[in-house]
Amino acid sequence: MSTVATPLISRRAIIDWLGIAPFMIFALMFLVVPTLYLVTGAFLTPEGEFTFKNLADLFTPSILSAYWISIRVSVASSLGGALIGFFLAWAVVLGGVPTWVRSGLLTFSGVASNFAGVPLAFAFLATLGRTGLVTVFLRDWFGFNLYSTGFNLLSFFGLTITYMYFQIPLMVLILTPALDGLKKEWREASEILGASTWQYWRMVALPILWPSLLGTTLLLFANAFGAIATAYALTGSSLNIVPILLYAQIRGDVLHNPNLGYALALGMIVITGISNILYIWLRMRAERWQK
C-alpha cells in the first residue's frame, strides 16, 4: 500500500505547490525582496559603506515631527473610523434594519474601503474644498462660510476626515462577522438571569468583542499610517507626514537622500509591523469565542 500511495501523495503535493507558486513568487518579488532591500539600504551610505547615521538621523526634529503627525492622523482616523464603523455594523446586524440596508451597506463598504488615492482627494476637494459643492451650498443658501470657522481641508483635520472615508467601511466589513458571531443564547441567558441590555453589553458582548474592536482599530491605524497617494494629492507637501517625506527623499529632488529614505521606510515597517502583529494576535483571541 505504501508503494502505491507515495507517488500519489507526491503528485498531489506538487500540484498543490504549483497552485500557490504564483502568489509566492509575487510576494517574493514585490514584498519580501523590496523589504530586505530597504532594510539593508538603511544601514548603508550612498557609497555602500556600513553606517548607523541614517537611523540616527531619524531622531532629528523635522523627522520626529513627521512621525508624530503621521501617528496623530493615523490614531485620529482609526479611532473615528472604529467608532462610527462599529455603530454602523451594529445597526445592520443587531439593529433590526431591513435586509436590503445591510446588503447595500456591505456592498458600498467593499467599494469605499478601496477608494483612495488621487480620486478620493479630488472627490473631497470637489465637495469640501474652498469652491466645493457643499462649501458653496452652505455659503449661498444658508450664509454659512465653512472656512471662516477655521476649517481647512488641507490640514490635519481635513486629512483625518478624508482618511475616515475608507476607514469606516473597512471597520464595517471586518466587524460585521464578529457581531454575527454573538450567539442569541448568550443574550437569552442574560435576560433570564435578569440582566439589562446595558449589563449584557458591558459584561458579555463587549468583553467578547473587545479583541476584535481593538485589533481592527490597530489594522486601521496601520492602513492610515502607510497611505501616501491621498495625502500627497490632497495636501501636497504642506503637511509633513512620513510617507510624503519618504517620497521627497527618494524621488530625486533637492532632498534626495535614498538611504535616509530607506531608514524612514524601515521606521514605518517597524511601526506598522507591530500594529499588524498585535492585530493578528487579537484576532486569534477573538476567533476562540466565535468557534
Side-chain angles (χ1 to χ4, degrees), residues 132-280:
L133 178 64
V134 173
T135 306
V136 173
F137 177 78
L138 292 175
R139 184 192 63 197
D140 294 346
W141 287 82
F142 297 97
F144 176 72
N145 188 346
L146 180 63
Y147 279 78
S148 66
T149 62
F151 173 80
N152 186 2
L153 187 62
L154 312 181
S155 64
F156 167 84
F157 185 66
L159 184 61
T160 300
I161 293 176
T162 306
Y163 277 7
M164 285 175 61
Y165 183 88
F166 56 80
Q167 298 280 59
I168 294 171
L170 184 59
M171 183 70 177
V172 171
L173 290 175
I174 298 177
L175 197 61
T176 297
L179 290 170
D180 281 328
L182 292 176
K183 300 182 183 299
K184 294 181 179 179
E185 292 84 355
W186 299 340
R187 181 65 179 266
E188 294 172 353
S190 66
E191 291 178 350
I192 292 173
L193 294 173
S196 64
T197 301
W198 165 245
Q199 288 174 324
Y200 163 74
W201 277 97
R202 181 170 62 88
M203 298 179 180
V204 180
L206 285 179
I208 294 173
L209 291 173
W210 182 247
S212 296
L213 287 170
L214 184 57
T216 307
T217 303
L218 289 170
L219 181 63
L220 297 183
F221 171 86
N223 189 41
F225 191 80
I228 179 175
T230 301
Y232 189 79
L234 186 67
T235 66
S237 57
S238 61
L239 195 63
N240 186 35
I241 63 175
V242 177
I244 292 179
L245 186 61
L246 170 61
Y247 177 67
Q249 294 291 345
I250 293 179
R251 67 180 179 178
D253 62 358
V254 292
L255 300 176
H256 181 53
N257 186 352
N259 293 96
L260 178 57
Y262 300 153
L264 287 166
L266 177 59
M268 294 181 64
I269 290 172
V270 171
I271 293 174
T272 55
I274 293 173
S275 179
N276 284 317
I277 290 172
L278 290 174
Y279 162 71
I280 294 172

